Amino acid sequence: MSTRVVTLMSPDKQNFEVPWDVAMRSTVVKQMLEDLPEPAEGSDEQPDPVPLMDRSCNANILEKVLEYLTKHHEFDKTGASQEDKDAWDKKYVEVEDEVLFNLILAANFLDVKDLLDLTCKTVAEYIKQCKTPEEIRQRFNIPNDFTPEEEEEVRRENAWCDEAPKRASLARRAVAAAGSLIARAARGSILCACRLDAAGGWNSGEQKDGREALARA
């Protein structure tokens, strides 16, 4: 018996043939296809490609998302250890910033929760390594559009809890002022990271807040 497949089409018109069970790991794809009847046995009929119209799903990013879904489907089938999963995930997110931010957007659009959590957490960890708002700006190439008066106002508003909330406010404002694709993705991730930094740890509450912040970005 042949494996059932679905064809996903990226916004730049590239088609990807994906095993059905792998594609179903995306909630959005699952909802699009759940009412599609299974083809009759022996039928050569191929369903039309499923168009993924969000610009975050261009071919190079969609291919990377499918790599993640395929590998984690394999992990589930083979009962891989969490240690093996974590090691693979760590290597997977060793990509350029632009790719990482597009993966965040694609995971959000396709509703792949575990990939969204992984990529947001990765950016959060990068931001935790920054000690000041200036380091955040340098790390992500975010311009500083604050006047000295605005910076002083932020310092006064957040004086009660020192540096982390100041970084959150400055980073939010800087990212909101930037119009690039990277800044659009970074906005949700920086908010997520600042919650992580202030709380001193990563838990489901921060992940949920990060996803909600990303959805508003």
Side-chain angles (χ1 to χ4, degrees), residues 98-117:
E98 185 173 359
V99 173
L100 180 59
F101 291 137
N102 274 292
L103 284 172
I104 292 173
L105 294 175
N108 183 63
F109 171 73
L110 294 169
D111 198 358
V112 182
K113 177 183 176 296
D114 49 351
L115 178 56
L116 182 58
D117 287 346

Side-chain angles (χ1 to χ4, degrees), residues 2-8 16-24 33 36 38-39 45-48 50:
S2 60
T3 302
R4 189 179 183 187
V5 298
V6 59
T7 301
L8 304 179
F16 294 84
E17 220 175 62
V18 187
W20 184 270
D21 290 343
V22 172
M24 293 301 102
L33 297 178
L36 189 68
E38 189 166 350
E45 183 181 352
Q46 295 293 328
D48 293 335
V50 177

Side-chain angles (χ1 to χ4, degrees), residues 8 10-12 14-18 22 25-26 52 55-73 75 87-108 110 112 114-116 118-119 122 126:
L8 304 179
S10 66
D12 48 348
Q14 298 294 313
N15 288 342
F16 294 84
E17 220 175 62
V18 187
V22 172
R25 297 180 77 92
S26 160
L52 303 175
R55 61 181 178 174
S56 66
C57 294
N58 278 341
N60 63 319
I61 300 300
L62 182 56
E63 183 176 20
K64 190 75 175 167
V65 172
L66 294 176
E67 177 190 353
Y68 178 89
L69 296 180
T70 300
K71 190 64 178 181
H72 276 259
H73 182 66
F75 282 149
W88 189 88
D89 284 351
K90 182 178 179 181
K91 187 71 174 176
Y92 174 83
V93 293
E94 291 177 356
V95 294
E96 295 180 356
D97 286 349
E98 185 173 359
V99 173
L100 180 59
F101 291 137
N102 274 292
L103 284 172
I104 292 173
L105 294 175
N108 183 63
L110 294 169
V112 182
D114 49 351
L115 178 56
L116 182 58
L118 170 65
T119 49
T122 300
Y126 290 159

Side-chain angles (χ1 to χ4, degrees), residues 76-95:
D76 289 348
K77 287 181 66 176
T78 59
S81 67
Q82 190 61 49
E83 182 180 353
D84 288 343
K85 293 178 183 179
D86 290 345
W88 189 88
D89 284 351
K90 182 178 179 181
K91 187 71 174 176
Y92 174 83
V93 293
E94 291 177 356
V95 294

